[in-house]
Amino acid sequence: MKKLKKLFVFAFTLFFVSCQSLPPDEQSSVKAIDLLDNKSTFYLSIPKKVDEDLVTRIIKSNVEQLTDSDIKSLAERVNHLYIGISRSNYKNVLQASIESDIPVKYVPRLLSSKNGWSKTTFNPVNSKNQYEIYSQNKLDVSFPSGNVLVLGRDVPGMLSVYDVIRNSSEEEGQDGYFSSLNKEIYDWINGSKEEIRFYTVQPSTYLHVLLGNNLNLQLLSVWGKFRDNPRSKDSYLLDLTFNFKNEAYKKASRTILLIAFGLSNGDATSENPTQLEISDIELSKKQLYKILGL
């Protein structure tokens, strides 16, 4: 997950450059979540207010020379992170769209050729608008507006979506829905206000990271949320929904999952014939940080 660290190092360093408010013409009504594509296998939504320590940890683990006050100022520049992760050649490939407060006028100064960045101009098809893409060590970054930052995989694709939404009326979407994400995935991670939410269509890969062992459970998808644990500041309470290929697989897997998470028989519910819900799993924050490579 070294690439994830590099992405966030860059983003948070930029946030630190200035604390000035953005003028209206540098802001946009385009939602950051709409820019993620449907090619990732794991989606994550992190509101800053849910776990500011998570944001601080990302900064502190990568930019060691900053003081505690500097780190605090940096963290204040982030509002909400939307992340898509896919696997390629046994490596994690990331795509991120971030709601933030970025002083766009400082971008050319910071991402200069002197600092190792190259700049290209991107024109979406059938558009007169131009967007600048900054690149370094196979990392692409762009700032389509003062409150949206995109980086990682297929930045041109995200910019093309941004351009379409920017020049469209709400009626041209489906009730304002422009995303290419499956509506179920979109609605789930977009509903993340008071907790960290995730959705994966490749459950076995990420359950292995979470549990430390491989479970072949014939799952189609898994989604869940990390929320505050009133009993401990060092852990979350995790709620999970497992979506199986059929009811038989669900019945066969129920006991296995309860044992894997160390839960009693009464901690799982199953109103849907192919879905199993497990709630109130106490999970150390370090286990989430492990998923993020921190």
PDB file of all heavy atoms in Angstrom, residues 4-17 55 58-59 63 74-75 77-78 81 96-98 100-103 110-111 117 139 141 143 149-151:
ATOM      1  N   LEU A   4      -0.654   4.236  -1.761  1.00  0.00           N
ATOM      2  CA  LEU A   4      -1.668   4.964  -1.008  1.00  0.00           C
ATOM      3  C   LEU A   4      -1.017   6.031  -0.156  1.00  0.00           C
ATOM      4  O   LEU A   4      -1.470   7.159  -0.090  1.00  0.00           O
ATOM      5  CB  LEU A   4      -2.444   3.985  -0.126  1.00  0.00           C
ATOM      6  CG  LEU A   4      -3.482   4.582   0.816  1.00  0.00           C
ATOM      7  CD1 LEU A   4      -4.532   5.352   0.027  1.00  0.00           C
ATOM      8  CD2 LEU A   4      -4.125   3.517   1.663  1.00  0.00           C
ATOM      9  N   LYS A   5       0.105   5.694   0.481  1.00  0.00           N
ATOM     10  CA  LYS A   5       0.798   6.669   1.313  1.00  0.00           C
ATOM     11  C   LYS A   5       1.263   7.850   0.485  1.00  0.00           C
ATOM     12  O   LYS A   5       1.118   9.010   0.872  1.00  0.00           O
ATOM     13  CB  LYS A   5       2.006   6.012   1.998  1.00  0.00           C
ATOM     14  CG  LYS A   5       1.620   4.980   3.052  1.00  0.00           C
ATOM     15  CD  LYS A   5       2.857   4.462   3.754  1.00  0.00           C
ATOM     16  CE  LYS A   5       2.493   3.482   4.850  1.00  0.00           C
ATOM     17  NZ  LYS A   5       3.671   2.975   5.557  1.00  0.00           N
ATOM     18  N   LYS A   6       1.833   7.578  -0.696  1.00  0.00           N
ATOM     19  CA  LYS A   6       2.328   8.660  -1.538  1.00  0.00           C
ATOM     20  C   LYS A   6       1.209   9.583  -1.974  1.00  0.00           C
ATOM     21  O   LYS A   6       1.368  10.800  -2.043  1.00  0.00           O
ATOM     22  CB  LYS A   6       3.040   8.088  -2.765  1.00  0.00           C
ATOM     23  CG  LYS A   6       4.350   7.383  -2.431  1.00  0.00           C
ATOM     24  CD  LYS A   6       5.019   6.846  -3.682  1.00  0.00           C
ATOM     25  CE  LYS A   6       6.333   6.144  -3.370  1.00  0.00           C
ATOM     26  NZ  LYS A   6       6.963   5.587  -4.582  1.00  0.00           N
ATOM     27  N   LEU A   7       0.046   8.995  -2.288  1.00  0.00           N
ATOM     28  CA  LEU A   7      -1.080   9.814  -2.716  1.00  0.00           C
ATOM     29  C   LEU A   7      -1.493  10.777  -1.618  1.00  0.00           C
ATOM     30  O   LEU A   7      -1.675  11.971  -1.849  1.00  0.00           O
ATOM     31  CB  LEU A   7      -2.276   8.915  -3.072  1.00  0.00           C
ATOM     32  CG  LEU A   7      -2.106   7.961  -4.255  1.00  0.00           C
ATOM     33  CD1 LEU A   7      -3.382   7.153  -4.447  1.00  0.00           C
ATOM     34  CD2 LEU A   7      -1.785   8.704  -5.523  1.00  0.00           C
ATOM     35  N   PHE A   8      -1.602  10.269  -0.410  1.00  0.00           N
ATOM     36  CA  PHE A   8      -2.058  11.118   0.668  1.00  0.00           C
ATOM     37  C   PHE A   8      -0.994  12.116   1.106  1.00  0.00           C
ATOM     38  O   PHE A   8      -1.302  13.229   1.510  1.00  0.00           O
ATOM     39  CB  PHE A   8      -2.499  10.268   1.859  1.00  0.00           C
ATOM     40  CG  PHE A   8      -3.842   9.650   1.666  1.00  0.00           C
ATOM     41  CD1 PHE A   8      -4.004   8.283   1.666  1.00  0.00           C
ATOM     42  CD2 PHE A   8      -4.957  10.440   1.458  1.00  0.00           C
ATOM     43  CE1 PHE A   8      -5.250   7.719   1.472  1.00  0.00           C
ATOM     44  CE2 PHE A   8      -6.209   9.884   1.267  1.00  0.00           C
ATOM     45  CZ  PHE A   8      -6.350   8.524   1.269  1.00  0.00           C
ATOM     46  N   VAL A   9       0.268  11.706   1.042  1.00  0.00           N
ATOM     47  CA  VAL A   9       1.336  12.636   1.375  1.00  0.00           C
ATOM     48  C   VAL A   9       1.228  13.875   0.510  1.00  0.00           C
ATOM     49  O   VAL A   9       1.266  15.011   0.987  1.00  0.00           O
ATOM     50  CB  VAL A   9       2.725  11.991   1.162  1.00  0.00           C
ATOM     51  CG1 VAL A   9       3.803  13.045   1.262  1.00  0.00           C
ATOM     52  CG2 VAL A   9       2.953  10.921   2.201  1.00  0.00           C
ATOM     53  N   PHE A  10       1.065  13.653  -0.785  1.00  0.00           N
ATOM     54  CA  PHE A  10       0.969  14.795  -1.692  1.00  0.00           C
ATOM     55  C   PHE A  10      -0.250  15.653  -1.393  1.00  0.00           C
ATOM     56  O   PHE A  10      -0.172  16.866  -1.263  1.00  0.00           O
ATOM     57  CB  PHE A  10       0.899  14.343  -3.147  1.00  0.00           C
ATOM     58  CG  PHE A  10       0.408  15.440  -4.026  1.00  0.00           C
ATOM     59  CD1 PHE A  10       1.228  16.499  -4.339  1.00  0.00           C
ATOM     60  CD2 PHE A  10      -0.899  15.459  -4.446  1.00  0.00           C
ATOM     61  CE1 PHE A  10       0.756  17.549  -5.090  1.00  0.00           C
ATOM     62  CE2 PHE A  10      -1.378  16.494  -5.192  1.00  0.00           C
ATOM     63  CZ  PHE A  10      -0.546  17.544  -5.523  1.00  0.00           C
ATOM     64  N   ALA A  11      -1.398  14.993  -1.257  1.00  0.00           N
ATOM     65  CA  ALA A  11      -2.643  15.743  -1.060  1.00  0.00           C
ATOM     66  C   ALA A  11      -2.591  16.593   0.197  1.00  0.00           C
ATOM     67  O   ALA A  11      -2.920  17.770   0.179  1.00  0.00           O
ATOM     68  CB  ALA A  11      -3.817  14.774  -0.985  1.00  0.00           C
ATOM     69  N   PHE A  12      -2.125  16.008   1.288  1.00  0.00           N
ATOM     70  CA  PHE A  12      -2.128  16.731   2.536  1.00  0.00           C
ATOM     71  C   PHE A  12      -1.057  17.812   2.580  1.00  0.00           C
ATOM     72  O   PHE A  12      -1.211  18.835   3.234  1.00  0.00           O
ATOM     73  CB  PHE A  12      -1.947  15.762   3.711  1.00  0.00           C
ATOM     74  CG  PHE A  12      -3.111  14.840   3.879  1.00  0.00           C
ATOM     75  CD1 PHE A  12      -2.928  13.490   4.080  1.00  0.00           C
ATOM     76  CD2 PHE A  12      -4.407  15.316   3.818  1.00  0.00           C
ATOM     77  CE1 PHE A  12      -4.003  12.642   4.227  1.00  0.00           C
ATOM     78  CE2 PHE A  12      -5.492  14.479   3.964  1.00  0.00           C
ATOM     79  CZ  PHE A  12      -5.285  13.139   4.165  1.00  0.00           C
ATOM     80  N   THR A  13       0.049  17.602   1.877  1.00  0.00           N
ATOM     81  CA  THR A  13       1.069  18.644   1.813  1.00  0.00           C
ATOM     82  C   THR A  13       0.512  19.875   1.132  1.00  0.00           C
ATOM     83  O   THR A  13       0.756  21.013   1.546  1.00  0.00           O
ATOM     84  CB  THR A  13       2.311  18.140   1.038  1.00  0.00           C
ATOM     85  OG1 THR A  13       2.835  16.996   1.713  1.00  0.00           O
ATOM     86  CG2 THR A  13       3.378  19.212   0.977  1.00  0.00           C
ATOM     87  N   LEU A  14      -0.269  19.663   0.082  1.00  0.00           N
ATOM     88  CA  LEU A  14      -0.856  20.799  -0.620  1.00  0.00           C
ATOM     89  C   LEU A  14      -1.846  21.550   0.262  1.00  0.00           C
ATOM     90  O   LEU A  14      -1.888  22.769   0.278  1.00  0.00           O
ATOM     91  CB  LEU A  14      -1.565  20.330  -1.879  1.00  0.00           C
ATOM     92  CG  LEU A  14      -2.142  21.466  -2.729  1.00  0.00           C
ATOM     93  CD1 LEU A  14      -1.026  22.376  -3.219  1.00  0.00           C
ATOM     94  CD2 LEU A  14      -2.941  20.929  -3.880  1.00  0.00           C
ATOM     95  N   PHE A  15      -2.609  20.805   1.041  1.00  0.00           N
ATOM     96  CA  PHE A  15      -3.600  21.445   1.891  1.00  0.00           C
ATOM     97  C   PHE A  15      -2.931  22.409   2.874  1.00  0.00           C
ATOM     98  O   PHE A  15      -3.501  23.405   3.285  1.00  0.00           O
ATOM     99  CB  PHE A  15      -4.365  20.397   2.713  1.00  0.00           C
ATOM    100  CG  PHE A  15      -5.172  19.457   1.894  1.00  0.00           C
ATOM    101  CD1 PHE A  15      -5.452  18.195   2.370  1.00  0.00           C
ATOM    102  CD2 PHE A  15      -5.657  19.827   0.650  1.00  0.00           C
ATOM    103  CE1 PHE A  15      -6.200  17.305   1.621  1.00  0.00           C
ATOM    104  CE2 PHE A  15      -6.405  18.960  -0.094  1.00  0.00           C
ATOM    105  CZ  PHE A  15      -6.673  17.688   0.386  1.00  0.00           C
ATOM    106  N   PHE A  16      -1.710  22.125   3.234  1.00  0.00           N
ATOM    107  CA  PHE A  16      -1.016  22.884   4.253  1.00  0.00           C
ATOM    108  C   PHE A  16      -0.498  24.219   3.742  1.00  0.00           C
ATOM    109  O   PHE A  16      -0.170  25.103   4.522  1.00  0.00           O
ATOM    110  CB  PHE A  16       0.153  22.042   4.782  1.00  0.00           C
ATOM    111  CG  PHE A  16       0.903  22.698   5.907  1.00  0.00           C
ATOM    112  CD1 PHE A  16       0.267  22.982   7.106  1.00  0.00           C
ATOM    113  CD2 PHE A  16       2.237  23.016   5.757  1.00  0.00           C
ATOM    114  CE1 PHE A  16       0.966  23.568   8.147  1.00  0.00           C
ATOM    115  CE2 PHE A  16       2.934  23.606   6.793  1.00  0.00           C
ATOM    116  CZ  PHE A  16       2.300  23.874   7.992  1.00  0.00           C
ATOM    117  N   VAL A  17      -0.427  24.381   2.433  1.00  0.00           N
ATOM    118  CA  VAL A  17       0.180  25.575   1.860  1.00  0.00           C
ATOM    119  C   VAL A  17      -0.535  26.845   2.291  1.00  0.00           C
ATOM    120  O   VAL A  17       0.084  27.864   2.528  1.00  0.00           O
ATOM    121  CB  VAL A  17       0.187  25.482   0.317  1.00  0.00           C
ATOM    122  CG1 VAL A  17       0.683  26.779  -0.286  1.00  0.00           C
ATOM    123  CG2 VAL A  17       1.075  24.334  -0.124  1.00  0.00           C
ATOM    124  N   VAL A  55      -6.846  10.669   9.801  1.00  0.00           N
ATOM    125  CA  VAL A  55      -6.224  11.644   8.901  1.00  0.00           C
ATOM    126  C   VAL A  55      -4.855  12.051   9.440  1.00  0.00           C
ATOM    127  O   VAL A  55      -3.869  12.108   8.702  1.00  0.00           O
ATOM    128  CB  VAL A  55      -7.128  12.881   8.742  1.00  0.00           C
ATOM    129  CG1 VAL A  55      -6.439  13.937   7.877  1.00  0.00           C
ATOM    130  CG2 VAL A  55      -8.465  12.493   8.127  1.00  0.00           C
ATOM    131  N   ILE A  58      -2.232   9.369   8.882  1.00  0.00           N
ATOM    132  CA  ILE A  58      -1.761   9.309   7.496  1.00  0.00           C
ATOM    133  C   ILE A  58      -0.669  10.347   7.266  1.00  0.00           C
ATOM    134  O   ILE A  58       0.360  10.073   6.645  1.00  0.00           O
ATOM    135  CB  ILE A  58      -2.932   9.527   6.521  1.00  0.00           C
ATOM    136  CG1 ILE A  58      -3.899   8.344   6.571  1.00  0.00           C
ATOM    137  CG2 ILE A  58      -2.433   9.705   5.090  1.00  0.00           C
ATOM    138  CD1 ILE A  58      -5.201   8.575   5.844  1.00  0.00           C
ATOM    139  N   ILE A  59      -0.883  11.554   7.787  1.00  0.00           N
ATOM    140  CA  ILE A  59       0.101  12.622   7.620  1.00  0.00           C
ATOM    141  C   ILE A  59       1.371  12.312   8.412  1.00  0.00           C
ATOM    142  O   ILE A  59       2.485  12.373   7.887  1.00  0.00           O
ATOM    143  CB  ILE A  59      -0.489  13.961   8.100  1.00  0.00           C
ATOM    144  CG1 ILE A  59      -1.740  14.307   7.304  1.00  0.00           C
ATOM    145  CG2 ILE A  59       0.536  15.082   7.972  1.00  0.00           C
ATOM    146  CD1 ILE A  59      -2.527  15.454   7.890  1.00  0.00           C
ATOM    147  N   VAL A  63       5.086  12.440   6.718  1.00  0.00           N
ATOM    148  CA  VAL A  63       5.760  13.742   6.696  1.00  0.00           C
ATOM    149  C   VAL A  63       6.311  14.008   8.085  1.00  0.00           C
ATOM    150  O   VAL A  63       5.749  14.754   8.880  1.00  0.00           O
ATOM    151  CB  VAL A  63       4.795  14.860   6.269  1.00  0.00           C
ATOM    152  CG1 VAL A  63       5.551  16.131   5.922  1.00  0.00           C
ATOM    153  CG2 VAL A  63       3.959  14.420   5.077  1.00  0.00           C
ATOM    154  N   LEU A  74      -2.943  20.807   8.757  1.00  0.00           N
ATOM    155  CA  LEU A  74      -3.115  20.003   7.558  1.00  0.00           C
ATOM    156  C   LEU A  74      -4.443  19.244   7.587  1.00  0.00           C
ATOM    157  O   LEU A  74      -5.201  19.244   6.613  1.00  0.00           O
ATOM    158  CB  LEU A  74      -1.968  18.988   7.471  1.00  0.00           C
ATOM    159  CG  LEU A  74      -0.831  19.290   6.507  1.00  0.00           C
ATOM    160  CD1 LEU A  74       0.305  18.321   6.755  1.00  0.00           C
ATOM    161  CD2 LEU A  74      -1.316  19.177   5.093  1.00  0.00           C
ATOM    162  N   ALA A  75      -4.705  18.601   8.704  1.00  0.00           N
ATOM    163  CA  ALA A  75      -5.909  17.782   8.823  1.00  0.00           C
ATOM    164  C   ALA A  75      -7.178  18.616   8.654  1.00  0.00           C
ATOM    165  O   ALA A  75      -8.201  18.114   8.191  1.00  0.00           O
ATOM    166  CB  ALA A  75      -5.923  17.068  10.177  1.00  0.00           C
ATOM    167  N   ARG A  77      -7.752  20.747   6.509  1.00  0.00           N
ATOM    168  CA  ARG A  77      -8.024  21.035   5.102  1.00  0.00           C
ATOM    169  C   ARG A  77      -8.853  19.944   4.430  1.00  0.00           C
ATOM    170  O   ARG A  77      -9.313  20.106   3.308  1.00  0.00           O
ATOM    171  CB  ARG A  77      -6.703  21.207   4.325  1.00  0.00           C
ATOM    172  CG  ARG A  77      -5.694  22.150   4.950  1.00  0.00           C
ATOM    173  CD  ARG A  77      -6.247  23.529   5.153  1.00  0.00           C
ATOM    174  NE  ARG A  77      -6.528  24.191   3.896  1.00  0.00           N
ATOM    175  CZ  ARG A  77      -7.134  25.371   3.817  1.00  0.00           C
ATOM    176  NH1 ARG A  77      -7.517  25.988   4.903  1.00  0.00           N
ATOM    177  NH2 ARG A  77      -7.368  25.914   2.630  1.00  0.00           N
ATOM    178  N   VAL A  78      -9.038  18.828   5.106  1.00  0.00           N
ATOM    179  CA  VAL A  78      -9.745  17.681   4.528  1.00  0.00           C
ATOM    180  C   VAL A  78     -11.180  17.643   5.033  1.00  0.00           C
ATOM    181  O   VAL A  78     -11.431  17.842   6.215  1.00  0.00           O
ATOM    182  CB  VAL A  78      -9.038  16.366   4.917  1.00  0.00           C
ATOM    183  CG1 VAL A  78      -9.773  15.178   4.318  1.00  0.00           C
ATOM    184  CG2 VAL A  78      -7.594  16.393   4.479  1.00  0.00           C
ATOM    185  N   LEU A  81     -13.113  11.931   2.170  1.00  0.00           N
ATOM    186  CA  LEU A  81     -12.322  11.171   1.213  1.00  0.00           C
ATOM    187  C   LEU A  81     -13.143  10.017   0.646  1.00  0.00           C
ATOM    188  O   LEU A  81     -13.758   9.258   1.397  1.00  0.00           O
ATOM    189  CB  LEU A  81     -11.063  10.601   1.876  1.00  0.00           C
ATOM    190  CG  LEU A  81     -10.054  11.595   2.433  1.00  0.00           C
ATOM    191  CD1 LEU A  81     -10.390  11.943   3.876  1.00  0.00           C
ATOM    192  CD2 LEU A  81      -8.644  11.014   2.365  1.00  0.00           C
ATOM    193  N   ALA A  96      -8.739   8.153  -6.149  1.00  0.00           N
ATOM    194  CA  ALA A  96      -9.285   8.921  -5.029  1.00  0.00           C
ATOM    195  C   ALA A  96      -9.885  10.231  -5.504  1.00  0.00           C
ATOM    196  O   ALA A  96      -9.350  10.892  -6.403  1.00  0.00           O
ATOM    197  CB  ALA A  96      -8.202   9.196  -3.991  1.00  0.00           C
ATOM    198  N   SER A  97     -10.994  10.598  -4.886  1.00  0.00           N
ATOM    199  CA  SER A  97     -11.628  11.886  -5.120  1.00  0.00           C
ATOM    200  C   SER A  97     -11.929  12.472  -3.750  1.00  0.00           C
ATOM    201  O   SER A  97     -12.582  11.820  -2.925  1.00  0.00           O
ATOM    202  CB  SER A  97     -12.910  11.712  -5.937  1.00  0.00           C
ATOM    203  OG  SER A  97     -13.480  12.964  -6.245  1.00  0.00           O
ATOM    204  N   ILE A  98     -11.437  13.681  -3.503  1.00  0.00           N
ATOM    205  CA  ILE A  98     -11.440  14.236  -2.156  1.00  0.00           C
ATOM    206  C   ILE A  98     -12.152  15.583  -2.107  1.00  0.00           C
ATOM    207  O   ILE A  98     -11.840  16.480  -2.900  1.00  0.00           O
ATOM    208  CB  ILE A  98      -9.996  14.399  -1.632  1.00  0.00           C
ATOM    209  CG1 ILE A  98      -9.277  13.045  -1.659  1.00  0.00           C
ATOM    210  CG2 ILE A  98      -9.983  14.991  -0.235  1.00  0.00           C
ATOM    211  CD1 ILE A  98      -7.791  13.141  -1.333  1.00  0.00           C
ATOM    212  N   SER A 100     -12.385  18.945  -0.340  1.00  0.00           N
ATOM    213  CA  SER A 100     -11.384  19.649   0.437  1.00  0.00           C
ATOM    214  C   SER A 100     -11.503  21.158   0.232  1.00  0.00           C
ATOM    215  O   SER A 100     -12.405  21.632  -0.456  1.00  0.00           O
ATOM    216  CB  SER A 100      -9.990  19.176   0.013  1.00  0.00           C
ATOM    217  OG  SER A 100      -9.851  19.309  -1.393  1.00  0.00           O
ATOM    218  N   ASP A 101     -10.589  21.875   0.813  1.00  0.00           N
ATOM    219  CA  ASP A 101     -10.528  23.328   0.675  1.00  0.00           C
ATOM    220  C   ASP A 101      -9.112  23.657   0.214  1.00  0.00           C
ATOM    221  O   ASP A 101      -8.199  23.788   1.025  1.00  0.00           O
ATOM    222  CB  ASP A 101     -10.859  23.988   2.017  1.00  0.00           C
ATOM    223  CG  ASP A 101     -10.832  25.499   1.934  1.00  0.00           C
ATOM    224  OD1 ASP A 101     -10.796  26.040   0.818  1.00  0.00           O
ATOM    225  OD2 ASP A 101     -10.829  26.151   2.999  1.00  0.00           O
ATOM    226  N   ILE A 102      -8.929  23.741  -1.099  1.00  0.00           N
ATOM    227  CA  ILE A 102      -7.589  23.840  -1.669  1.00  0.00           C
ATOM    228  C   ILE A 102      -7.358  25.199  -2.323  1.00  0.00           C
ATOM    229  O   ILE A 102      -8.147  25.617  -3.170  1.00  0.00           O
ATOM    230  CB  ILE A 102      -7.361  22.747  -2.734  1.00  0.00           C
ATOM    231  CG1 ILE A 102      -7.650  21.372  -2.139  1.00  0.00           C
ATOM    232  CG2 ILE A 102      -5.954  22.807  -3.305  1.00  0.00           C
ATOM    233  CD1 ILE A 102      -7.687  20.268  -3.163  1.00  0.00           C
ATOM    234  N   PRO A 103      -6.290  25.895  -1.986  1.00  0.00           N
ATOM    235  CA  PRO A 103      -5.949  27.153  -2.655  1.00  0.00           C
ATOM    236  C   PRO A 103      -5.351  26.880  -4.033  1.00  0.00           C
ATOM    237  O   PRO A 103      -4.153  26.693  -4.192  1.00  0.00           O
ATOM    238  CB  PRO A 103      -4.919  27.778  -1.712  1.00  0.00           C
ATOM    239  CG  PRO A 103      -4.286  26.608  -1.029  1.00  0.00           C
ATOM    240  CD  PRO A 103      -5.357  25.556  -0.896  1.00  0.00           C
ATOM    241  N   LEU A 110       3.724  24.908  -6.292  1.00  0.00           N
ATOM    242  CA  LEU A 110       4.130  23.718  -5.558  1.00  0.00           C
ATOM    243  C   LEU A 110       4.491  22.562  -6.483  1.00  0.00           C
ATOM    244  O   LEU A 110       5.493  21.874  -6.276  1.00  0.00           O
ATOM    245  CB  LEU A 110       3.007  23.285  -4.619  1.00  0.00           C
ATOM    246  CG  LEU A 110       3.332  22.112  -3.686  1.00  0.00           C
ATOM    247  CD1 LEU A 110       4.412  22.504  -2.689  1.00  0.00           C
ATOM    248  CD2 LEU A 110       2.092  21.647  -2.950  1.00  0.00           C
ATOM    249  N   LEU A 111       3.690  22.375  -7.541  1.00  0.00           N
ATOM    250  CA  LEU A 111       3.919  21.255  -8.448  1.00  0.00           C
ATOM    251  C   LEU A 111       4.723  21.707  -9.659  1.00  0.00           C
ATOM    252  O   LEU A 111       4.335  21.498 -10.803  1.00  0.00           O
ATOM    253  CB  LEU A 111       2.580  20.656  -8.892  1.00  0.00           C
ATOM    254  CG  LEU A 111       1.635  20.238  -7.770  1.00  0.00           C
ATOM    255  CD1 LEU A 111       0.416  19.539  -8.335  1.00  0.00           C
ATOM    256  CD2 LEU A 111       2.334  19.348  -6.765  1.00  0.00           C
ATOM    257  N   TRP A 117       7.818  17.718 -10.995  1.00  0.00           N
ATOM    258  CA  TRP A 117       6.516  17.470 -11.602  1.00  0.00           C
ATOM    259  C   TRP A 117       6.498  17.912 -13.060  1.00  0.00           C
ATOM    260  O   TRP A 117       7.123  18.904 -13.429  1.00  0.00           O
ATOM    261  CB  TRP A 117       5.419  18.221 -10.850  1.00  0.00           C
ATOM    262  CG  TRP A 117       5.183  17.703  -9.469  1.00  0.00           C
ATOM    263  CD1 TRP A 117       5.828  18.076  -8.325  1.00  0.00           C
ATOM    264  CD2 TRP A 117       4.250  16.696  -9.078  1.00  0.00           C
ATOM    265  NE1 TRP A 117       5.358  17.371  -7.257  1.00  0.00           N
ATOM    266  CE2 TRP A 117       4.387  16.520  -7.680  1.00  0.00           C
ATOM    267  CE3 TRP A 117       3.312  15.939  -9.765  1.00  0.00           C
ATOM    268  CZ2 TRP A 117       3.614  15.603  -6.965  1.00  0.00           C
ATOM    269  CZ3 TRP A 117       2.540  15.028  -9.056  1.00  0.00           C
ATOM    270  CH2 TRP A 117       2.693  14.857  -7.673  1.00  0.00           C
ATOM    271  N   LEU A 139       2.336   8.974 -10.806  1.00  0.00           N
ATOM    272  CA  LEU A 139       1.189   9.477 -10.062  1.00  0.00           C
ATOM    273  C   LEU A 139       0.615  10.690 -10.776  1.00  0.00           C
ATOM    274  O   LEU A 139       1.335  11.649 -11.066  1.00  0.00           O
ATOM    275  CB  LEU A 139       1.605   9.887  -8.647  1.00  0.00           C
ATOM    276  CG  LEU A 139       0.571  10.691  -7.840  1.00  0.00           C
ATOM    277  CD1 LEU A 139      -0.677   9.858  -7.593  1.00  0.00           C
ATOM    278  CD2 LEU A 139       1.168  11.167  -6.521  1.00  0.00           C
ATOM    279  N   VAL A 141      -2.274  13.787 -10.790  1.00  0.00           N
ATOM    280  CA  VAL A 141      -3.072  14.587  -9.867  1.00  0.00           C
ATOM    281  C   VAL A 141      -3.694  15.734 -10.634  1.00  0.00           C
ATOM    282  O   VAL A 141      -3.071  16.306 -11.532  1.00  0.00           O
ATOM    283  CB  VAL A 141      -2.194  15.172  -8.732  1.00  0.00           C
ATOM    284  CG1 VAL A 141      -3.043  15.978  -7.756  1.00  0.00           C
ATOM    285  CG2 VAL A 141      -1.437  14.083  -8.013  1.00  0.00           C
ATOM    286  N   PHE A 143      -6.754  19.204 -10.208  1.00  0.00           N
ATOM    287  CA  PHE A 143      -7.603  20.021  -9.352  1.00  0.00           C
ATOM    288  C   PHE A 143      -8.660  20.701 -10.217  1.00  0.00           C
ATOM    289  O   PHE A 143      -8.508  21.859 -10.600  1.00  0.00           O
ATOM    290  CB  PHE A 143      -6.761  21.067  -8.627  1.00  0.00           C
ATOM    291  CG  PHE A 143      -5.618  20.473  -7.862  1.00  0.00           C
ATOM    292  CD1 PHE A 143      -4.439  20.115  -8.509  1.00  0.00           C
ATOM    293  CD2 PHE A 143      -5.727  20.239  -6.510  1.00  0.00           C
ATOM    294  CE1 PHE A 143      -3.381  19.555  -7.814  1.00  0.00           C
ATOM    295  CE2 PHE A 143      -4.679  19.667  -5.804  1.00  0.00           C
ATOM    296  CZ  PHE A 143      -3.498  19.319  -6.450  1.00  0.00           C
ATOM    297  N   LEU A 149     -10.330  17.435  -5.461  1.00  0.00           N
ATOM    298  CA  LEU A 149      -9.013  16.952  -5.870  1.00  0.00           C
ATOM    299  C   LEU A 149      -9.161  15.521  -6.332  1.00  0.00           C
ATOM    300  O   LEU A 149      -9.793  14.702  -5.660  1.00  0.00           O
ATOM    301  CB  LEU A 149      -8.052  17.014  -4.676  1.00  0.00           C
ATOM    302  CG  LEU A 149      -6.828  16.097  -4.662  1.00  0.00           C
ATOM    303  CD1 LEU A 149      -5.866  16.476  -5.767  1.00  0.00           C
ATOM    304  CD2 LEU A 149      -6.136  16.158  -3.313  1.00  0.00           C
ATOM    305  N   VAL A 150      -8.609  15.174  -7.515  1.00  0.00           N
ATOM    306  CA  VAL A 150      -8.645  13.792  -7.999  1.00  0.00           C
ATOM    307  C   VAL A 150      -7.217  13.316  -8.224  1.00  0.00           C
ATOM    308  O   VAL A 150      -6.353  14.080  -8.649  1.00  0.00           O
ATOM    309  CB  VAL A 150      -9.469  13.653  -9.301  1.00  0.00           C
ATOM    310  CG1 VAL A 150     -10.925  13.978  -9.036  1.00  0.00           C
ATOM    311  CG2 VAL A 150      -8.928  14.554 -10.405  1.00  0.00           C
ATOM    312  N   LEU A 151      -6.970  12.064  -7.953  1.00  0.00           N
ATOM    313  CA  LEU A 151      -5.624  11.526  -8.105  1.00  0.00           C
ATOM    314  C   LEU A 151      -5.666  10.014  -8.229  1.00  0.00           C
ATOM    315  O   LEU A 151      -6.649   9.371  -7.882  1.00  0.00           O
ATOM    316  CB  LEU A 151      -4.742  11.926  -6.923  1.00  0.00           C
ATOM    317  CG  LEU A 151      -5.130  11.490  -5.526  1.00  0.00           C
ATOM    318  CD1 LEU A 151      -3.910  11.511  -4.612  1.00  0.00           C
ATOM    319  CD2 LEU A 151      -6.184  12.404  -4.934  1.00  0.00           C
TER     320      LEU A 151
END
